[in-house]
Amino acid sequence: MLLHLFSIVFLFLSSFCSCDQKKFSFHGYKLIQIKPKSVHHFSLLKSWEENPDFDVWNRIKSINEIVDVALSPKAFQQYEPLFKLANLPYTIVNENIQNLIDREEESMRRSFPSRSIVGRYPRYTEVSSFISNLVIDNPDIASSYSAGTTYENRQLKVLVLKTDTSQKSVWIDCGIHAREWISISTCVWFIDRLLKDYRNSDPVAKDLLGYYEFHILPIVNPDGYEYSHSNFRIWRKNRKPNREDELIWNCFGTDLNRNFGYKWMVAGSSSNVCSEIYAGPSADSEVETKSVQKAINDKLGNWDVFVTIHSYGNLWMVPWGWDTSLLPDYNDLYSVSQIGADALKAVYGTKYSIGSPANLLCKTKKRTLSF
């Protein structure tokens, strides 16, 4: 299936992994910034990217573009001599990533007494209850359905908001990468804001729900999301085992963002089960991937908009992710994206780069951007 839909993506983090049942400590893990100054430097970084111990947090884009990498104490000892040998410039920007995680956890403890999950990092059960309560309290415009069940038996719960006059459909999903907690919070915030504005007769919300039927999946990867809360803060993939030996470090899970069948494994993915960008044993192998595609195909021909929200990087992206060629309607997508980027800048002062992943970054298999 080829779906030309309006898409928004805020880019991604990366991770290490532990299969221990205790919460993993990142004490001594360093965040460094590397600036490749030559083709040789760029090639070195690309060759290290699939290594499980070389955790790229943004993307390796081009010469003179900063690359953020997290390294364990052992990995730093391994790579630092290689940086120096290659005259590859780097700067340590944080000596201990665990300090960042500790501050985040303290902030969460302070906000937990709030009954509302809006503006917090809610857990899976809280988001599920949030959707159920909205449906109970707003039966005239809200309903829900399960798009599927994950490996660990969690429901992929989709909220539907519509009115009697809604015609075309909009899909919004968040949390396909487990560690990107702010994306889940963004979906929750959007739901709350749209519903409240509609009840307060806001003309924009009235117009939106007067024409569009919204399908919102706040957590595409609930198994990984829960694991990132309970065990390993920067876990990225889902939690289905890839090998019989489940104790192999970082060899659990598939990067769902790279598992979609269209142009599977063409670019920006890995066949290494221990890689953060492992695309799975086959195209559409994961239940989360299949579930999203089924939800789309069940209303095929009725979708006007597809929005998928990530974190880490001010990027507003449209297809393609696997190739630098542009869609026939690329200029239209760019113009609509520019309206959104301009609005964000006007309110928050933030600047978003617009374009396709393959042109903004490098060729990368960006999930439903290409599906």
Side-chain angles (χ1 to χ4, degrees):
M1 166 188 170
L2 179 59
L3 197 58
H4 292 175
L5 295 171
F6 170 54
S7 304
I8 176 173
V9 178
F10 300 97
L11 263 196
F12 25 74
L13 295 167
S14 265
S15 73
F16 299 92
C17 158
S18 168
C19 296
D20 197 308
Q21 292 306 303
K22 299 183 299 182
K23 183 170 285 191
F24 186 87
S25 172
F26 291 89
H27 181 75
Y29 278 60
K30 291 177 171 58
L31 178 62
I32 67 172
Q33 290 188 332
I34 302 172
K35 189 172 185 179
K37 306 294 285 186
S38 67
V39 173
H40 175 59
H41 290 163
F42 182 82
S43 298
L44 276 177
L45 293 177
K46 293 298 290 184
S47 70
W48 295 334
E49 185 177 20
E50 286 192 31
N51 295 349
D53 62 350
F54 194 78
D55 184 12
V56 179
W57 279 19
N58 47 3
R59 298 303 297 170
I60 301 170
K61 304 174 188 177
S62 61
I63 295 171
N64 290 319
E65 292 282 347
I66 294 292
V67 181
D68 296 339
V69 180
L71 297 173
S72 70
K74 181 179 178 180
F76 184 75
Q77 288 182 351
Q78 173 186 340
Y79 286 103
E80 185 183 31
L82 301 179
F83 300 156
K84 292 179 178 178
L85 183 64
N87 292 318
L88 179 58
Y90 74 94
T91 303
I92 300 174
V93 295
N94 191 292
E95 291 276 1
N96 189 357
I97 293 174
Q98 185 61 44
N99 289 338
L100 302 177
I101 296 172
D102 290 343
R103 288 201 292 270
E104 179 183 62
E105 290 181 348
E106 177 59 30
S107 175
M108 291 171 64
R109 283 191 289 270
R110 289 198 302 268
S111 67
F112 189 75
S114 172
R115 294 182 62 185
S116 172
I117 68 169
V118 180
R120 295 201 281 114
Y121 293 134
R123 301 292 289 268
Y124 164 77
T125 55
E126 292 181 294
V127 175
S128 183
S129 296
F130 172 72
I131 292 174
S132 296
N133 291 335
L134 284 181
V135 172
I136 293 171
D137 294 341
N138 301 275
D140 55 328
I141 61 171
S143 61
S144 68
Y145 63 91
S146 175
T149 305
T150 68
Y151 175 79
E152 294 182 347
N153 204 36
R154 294 183 176 91
Q155 297 298 310
L156 299 174
K157 201 165 188 177
V158 180
L159 175 69
V160 180
L161 296 174
K162 66 177 182 178
T163 64
D164 292 338
T165 60
S166 298
Q167 300 176 39
K168 304 296 287 186
S169 298
V170 174
W171 176 276
I172 302 174
D173 70 47
C174 298
I176 195 168
H177 286 145
R179 76 209 51 148
E180 297 173 14
W181 293 0
I182 194 66
S183 68
I184 290 92
S185 298
T186 300
C187 259
V188 169
W189 180 90
F190 175 81
I191 291 167
D192 181 72
R193 178 65 182 269
L194 180 60
L195 190 54
K196 284 181 177 177
D197 283 358
Y198 179 80
R199 291 304 189 198
N200 290 328
S201 298
D202 178 83
V204 174
K206 286 285 188 180
D207 286 346
L208 286 171
L209 283 172
Y211 185 74
Y212 289 114
E213 172 182 308
F214 287 83
H215 293 239
I216 306 168
L217 174 57
I219 314 179
V220 178
N221 182 11
D223 294 350
Y225 180 62
E226 279 299 297
Y227 189 77
S228 72
H229 274 276
S230 63
N231 293 67
F232 200 88
R233 172 60 184 92
I234 52 177
W235 183 261
R236 174 184 174 94
K237 300 182 284 185
N238 72 355
R239 289 295 299 162
K240 190 176 78 173
N242 291 311
R243 294 180 176 178
E244 291 183 4
D245 182 359
E246 296 183 356
L247 296 180
I248 295 177
W249 185 81
N250 202 33
C251 296
F252 270 74
T254 291
D255 181 353
L256 299 174
N257 198 44
R258 287 162 171 79
N259 186 243
F260 287 85
Y262 185 72
K263 300 295 182 180
W264 180 74
M265 283 295 294
V266 169
S269 300
S270 176
S271 58
N272 177 0
V273 296
C274 299
S275 171
E276 292 292 359
I277 54 174
Y278 174 56
S282 61
D284 300 325
S285 62
E286 307 307 296
V287 65
E288 298 91 345
T289 306
K290 293 174 183 175
S291 298
V292 170
Q293 291 184 110
K294 184 180 184 303
I296 295 299
N297 287 327
D298 283 348
K299 293 181 68 66
L300 194 61
N302 200 57
W303 302 100
D304 263 9
V305 179
F306 197 111
V307 178
T308 181
I309 299 176
H310 290 242
S311 67
Y312 207 85
N314 290 3
L315 301 170
W316 190 308
M317 301 195 294
V318 299
W320 299 113
W322 61 275
D323 186 77
T324 55
S325 62
L326 301 179
L327 293 170
D329 58 350
Y330 177 82
N331 289 336
D332 290 339
L333 289 171
Y334 189 96
S335 297
V336 172
S337 301
Q338 188 67 63
I339 293 171
D342 288 345
L344 287 167
K345 185 176 181 180
V347 175
Y348 302 107
T350 51
K351 183 179 179 180
Y352 282 79
S353 299
I354 303 170
S356 71
N359 288 291
L360 280 174
L361 308 174
C362 56
K363 292 181 181 179
T364 175
K365 180 61 176 68
K366 286 304 297 170
R367 75 182 253 39
T368 35
L369 276 173
S370 298
F371 160 61

